[in-house]
Amino acid sequence: MTSSTDTDTGTTRTATTTAPSPTTLAATPTAPAPWPDLVSAALLGTGRRMPPVAVRSGQGAASALLDAAAVSTVRRRAALRPAPAGERPVPAPADPRPPLPPAARRRLSLLLADRGGAGGSRRGTTPDLTELLPQWLAAAEGYGYRAPEALLPALLDAARARTDLRPAALALAGPRAVWLARLNDEWKFALRGIGGPAAPPGADDPEEVRLRWEEGLFAERVALLTALRRRDPQAGLALLVTTWSTERAEDRLMFLDSLREGLSAADEPFLEQALSDRSRNVRATAAELLSALPGSALAARMARRARTCIGLDRTADPAAIVVEAPHECDAGMQRDGVTPKPPSGRGERSWWLGQLVEAAPLEGWHERFAGRDPAAIVALPVADDWQTELHDAWSRAAVRQRNADWARALLGAPGAPSHAAEVAPAGSTRDLTKLLTVLPDDERARWVAEFIAAHGLSDAFRMLGVCAVPWAEPLGRSVVDALDIARDAGSYPWSFSGVMGLAERCLDPAAADRLDMLTAVTDEPEGASPGSGGYWSEAFQRLVGTLRLRATMRAELPPAPGGRTAP
């Protein structure tokens, strides 16, 4: 408030003044607020720091801040020369596959939104949607659907974060995933290609194939070669030969690994030449591929070497296998892929022997051991403590050559005492899980079910991971019975969380109703882990809920019109 005197009349007048109102500020031209002040107000929030801007009548402070930021941005850019317009990208390729049904589209949106997971060691009874996403993707692509365009960015982000999702995610995304990947470096993995709709052009477009092979990025070239090998193995090999001599060593290794697709005797001449490659890793990979072809010249050379080291002593009672390991690793052995220097803790001669036996065709041992079949050969005693080394090498050979008869013999009976405490005999490098992958799906499931019934779940986790999904009934029942036994025994419950997670993803959803009885809270036996009864109840409730959700998800994905009939 201020006072003033009128000099003409001598009277005094009093006037009241106040701070200008927001409306007054808005009407008064002011200097633009400094950009750092606008940023500070935005970061702290208008509730904590009033932005230094004019606020119009009826306008909130936040809205005024945004208006001022927009004006300031235009002012800051006004002195800049416009950049040349970028080239407009070519339109995305068409994807003729049918769109997802509305319910399935909503389900995919929910699964992608929840992919971060809840975290924590105790998840309660809520299904883990993160772990159901791979199954949903495989089912949708298996029926021949395409991903909704609006969800492609989220789908590619999920695949970038989880490599296990990439094959199914890219197959569902189709050719538009590759188109988007060219516009966003974070999605470059899609350029490697997985096959299916996202695969690069094939033999039906030879000029495009040539241009991509000669001018494409390395990832695109690997994808192209892999796709060609799937469609026409010899066309893929012919393409590789055109530039083989000029490729870098690390690139030759990746290209050579692509020949696993459609590997056949027709690849042998090229692989034989690769045995003389400058790169040791390329030579080793070529030798491995040749040894997977039982009729190759390399396999025959390895067989001759192995037979000079291993024979049958018929004078022993009973007959026994005798072993004389190599005394040197000559140049010929090294050219054929035998690594001369053993890893730490391994003897040279046993190391060389194992590599020879691993690369020798398994069918040749039938004649070497007087017509015995694999089971009879494996049952023979081996002199001088060579049995573990020999059986381990035969196991690697069975996996490499995909020989089910030998895998079956080396696995033995699932209830055998040798499997009781370990997944392989003491001192062995044998991997029973890899041997199981050689067996047919139904036989594999039966073997693992009997193993669990005899030895429990502690050594079966990796074996369960290679069984076909959904688990066949004998295997599913065996897993649930073992979990129920562990609960009744008061076992430490969290030690079975991995198996329980596998069961949620792999059990047949039809088993949900009969598992309801396991959701009740049971009395804890004496000596049980504190709170184990509640945990087991939660775990079984989550299992049942997940199985029912999987059944719902399956119902939301009917076969696509004109598409495939089964995933």
Side-chain angles (χ1 to χ4, degrees):
M1 182 171 60
T2 60
S3 300
S4 62
T5 301
D6 190 328
T7 56
D8 296 331
T9 63
T11 59
T12 300
R13 293 177 297 182
T14 300
T16 301
T17 61
T18 60
S21 68
T23 304
T24 305
L25 284 175
T28 304
T30 59
W35 180 255
D37 292 346
L38 296 177
V39 173
S40 297
L43 292 175
L44 294 174
T46 56
R48 297 179 60 189
R49 173 171 292 184
M50 188 65 183
V53 297
V55 181
R56 296 190 303 273
S57 177
Q59 181 186 35
S63 178
L65 173 62
L66 293 176
D67 286 347
V71 171
S72 180
T73 299
V74 173
R75 182 181 290 111
R76 294 167 66 210
R77 293 178 177 176
L80 297 178
R81 186 186 299 275
E87 183 179 351
R88 179 178 297 179
V90 297
D95 190 340
R97 295 175 297 169
L100 284 169
R105 178 190 175 108
R106 290 191 294 272
R107 181 68 62 189
L108 176 59
S109 180
L110 290 172
L111 292 173
L112 291 173
D114 194 65
R115 65 185 177 88
S121 58
R122 186 159 181 163
R123 291 165 33 214
T125 60
T126 304
D128 187 349
L129 300 185
T130 303
E131 296 304 323
L132 295 181
L133 180 57
Q135 283 192 8
W136 189 97
L137 291 172
E141 194 280 327
Y143 275 132
Y145 288 109
R146 72 169 188 265
E149 290 80 358
L151 294 180
L152 285 176
L155 183 60
L156 288 172
D157 281 342
R160 178 171 64 92
R162 289 181 56 180
T163 57
D164 63 308
L165 294 178
R166 291 181 183 178
L170 293 183
L172 182 69
R176 295 179 179 180
V178 177
W179 182 83
L180 286 171
R182 295 182 186 278
L183 304 175
N184 187 339
D185 287 344
E186 291 186 347
W187 300 331
K188 271 188 175 180
F189 64 88
L191 298 177
R192 301 186 185 97
I194 300 297
D204 56 339
D205 193 354
E207 182 61 22
E208 180 69 14
V209 167
R210 184 187 66 80
L211 288 175
R212 279 188 186 242
W213 182 250
E214 294 177 357
E215 302 176 5
L217 300 173
F218 173 69
E220 294 178 293
R221 300 178 72 210
V222 172
L224 175 61
L225 180 59
T226 302
L228 278 178
R229 288 289 294 183
R230 288 172 180 163
R231 300 175 187 179
D232 185 348
Q234 287 312 296
L237 178 62
L239 185 68
L240 178 58
V241 169
T242 61
T243 59
W244 177 258
S245 61
T246 62
E247 304 288 356
R248 300 182 304 167
E250 55 267 33
D251 294 350
R252 293 199 304 276
L253 181 62
M254 290 293 295
F255 291 143
L256 196 63
D257 199 60
S258 299
L259 298 187
R260 297 180 191 276
E261 292 281 351
L263 183 66
S264 70
D267 301 315
E268 183 179 357
F270 175 79
L271 293 173
E272 275 285 343
Q273 292 180 1
L275 290 175
S276 302
D277 194 89
R278 302 184 300 275
S279 167
R280 178 176 62 84
N281 290 332
V282 171
R283 295 195 302 270
T285 302
E288 180 188 347
L289 293 173
L290 284 168
S291 67
L293 296 171
S296 67
L298 179 139
R301 295 193 294 270
M302 289 299 204
R304 287 194 296 271
R305 294 176 180 124
R307 283 197 297 268
T308 63
C309 299
I310 299 169
L312 181 65
D313 183 3
R314 292 183 173 86
T315 64
D317 187 20
I321 297 174
V322 291
V323 176
E324 180 65 27
H327 290 272
E328 64 173 344
C329 183
D330 58 34
M333 290 169 61
Q334 293 183 46
R335 181 182 183 274
D336 285 345
V338 178
T339 304
K341 185 176 180 180
S344 177
R346 291 288 300 274
E348 284 185 337
R349 296 180 65 196
S350 64
W351 173 243
W352 300 333
L353 175 73
Q355 294 179 79
L356 294 181
V357 174
E358 178 181 355
L362 289 165
E363 289 80 357
W365 298 112
H366 174 74
E367 179 183 355
R368 184 64 171 166
F369 291 111
R372 289 175 171 84
D373 63 16
I377 294 173
V378 170
L380 287 170
V382 182
D384 300 326
D385 296 325
W386 282 102
Q387 177 169 310
T388 297
E389 191 73 43
L390 182 59
H391 285 196
D392 287 358
W394 276 337
S395 296
R396 295 191 297 273
V399 173
R400 181 181 294 187
Q401 300 171 32
R402 312 308 294 173
N403 191 306
D405 289 336
W406 274 89
R408 199 173 289 118
L410 290 159
L411 281 167
S418 61
H419 301 323
E422 299 176 346
V423 179
S428 172
T429 60
R430 202 172 318 160
D431 191 334
L432 299 189
T433 299
K434 289 184 177 179
L435 280 172
L436 282 169
T437 64
V438 182
L439 301 182
D441 288 346
D442 55 346
E443 183 179 358
R444 189 186 316 161
R446 288 196 303 271
W447 198 97
V448 177
E450 293 177 22
F451 179 93
I452 293 172
H455 307 302
L457 290 167
S458 57
D459 289 324
F461 182 77
R462 291 183 62 241
M463 297 179 185
L464 289 170
V466 300
C467 291
V469 178
W471 289 336
E473 176 55 29
L475 177 57
R477 186 177 295 276
S478 181
V479 170
V480 173
D481 288 347
L483 289 171
D484 193 21
I485 290 171
R487 178 185 66 168
D488 290 343
S491 299
Y492 191 66
W494 294 274
S495 62
F496 294 93
S497 59
V499 175
M500 188 66 78
L502 275 179
E504 292 171 16
R505 301 189 296 274
C506 302
L507 273 176
D508 190 331
D513 289 341
R514 69 179 176 82
L515 297 180
D516 259 336
M517 66 179 67
L518 301 178
T519 61
V521 179
T522 59
D523 294 333
E524 296 177 8
E526 185 178 353
S529 302
S532 63
Y535 173 87
W536 282 111
S537 175
E538 285 183 358
F540 280 118
Q541 288 180 58
R542 185 172 62 247
L543 173 59
V544 171
T546 302
L547 295 179
R548 287 177 174 153
L549 177 57
R550 285 174 53 205
T552 301
M553 289 166 50
R554 179 186 296 178
E556 293 171 347
L557 278 169
R564 286 163 255 177
T565 57

